[in-house]
Amino acid sequence: MSTPTFAPDGKNRMMPFFDRGTQEDFDRTVRSIKTLFERGLIKHWGVSNENAYGITMLCNACVKLDCPLPVSCQNDFSLLNQTYECDTYEAAYRFGVVGLPYGALAGGTLTGKYFEKTKPEYAAKDATERPLE
């Protein structure tokens, strides 16, 4: 499937369109996970970087196919990226899926390592102004 996108020259060009998955896609995934449970290869399972739609569709497929629900959803979450708190949190909460945030320091941005004054030459210069106690 594709969707029209206009190029800088004003001509229409077709770009691939990726939908978020059909019910058959989610059913296929859950059937695979159910097989792993039946073979005794896993005890629990979770998802990562999933949105509210994905959590809802997976959990509905689990209920329909009699498969255990995912126990966790691991999404990026920090002071700079709080998109999990929008709809994803509510979907996870409604199905009893625990949120496991990762990236709490936003890839190091919140540590200050990308700021100019955190480089060693500045740190040594400012060390006299900062007491160690």
Side-chain angles (χ1 to χ4, degrees):
M1 185 177 234
S2 60
T3 183
T5 303
F6 293 98
D9 60 4
K11 294 182 182 176
N12 187 5
R13 59 189 168 93
M14 298 308 282
M15 294 290 293
F17 172 75
F18 303 101
D19 63 10
R20 297 190 185 268
T22 63
Q23 185 64 51
E24 293 79 28
D25 296 330
F26 289 101
D27 287 349
R28 183 174 49 249
T29 300
V30 170
R31 276 194 297 273
S32 298
I33 292 168
K34 186 176 179 181
T35 301
L36 296 173
F37 274 107
E38 289 169 350
R39 293 182 182 173
L41 298 174
I42 60 173
K43 294 181 181 180
H44 306 285
W45 70 287
V47 295
S48 183
N49 298 325
E50 196 58 80
N51 58 19
Y53 175 78
I55 291 174
T56 302
M57 294 296 283
L58 278 171
C59 291
N60 285 336
C62 285
V63 170
K64 181 173 81 172
L65 299 172
D66 194 32
C67 178
L69 295 174
V71 295
S72 64
C73 178
Q74 182 180 11
N75 280 26
D76 193 15
F77 184 79
S78 69
L79 289 173
L80 302 179
N81 181 0
Q82 297 181 357
T83 55
Y84 179 79
E85 286 187 336
C86 297
D87 296 334
T88 310
Y89 168 76
E90 183 177 1
Y93 175 77
R94 301 281 180 192
F95 287 102
V97 178
V98 175
L100 297 173
Y102 73 88
L105 296 176
T109 302
L110 295 176
T111 65
K113 75 178 188 179
Y114 298 112
F115 297 125
E116 186 67 26
K117 292 217 172 198
T118 59
K119 294 186 177 174
E121 61 268 16
Y122 289 104
K125 185 180 87 173
D126 296 338
T128 57
E129 300 173 15
R130 291 187 310 243
L132 297 176
E133 297 174 288

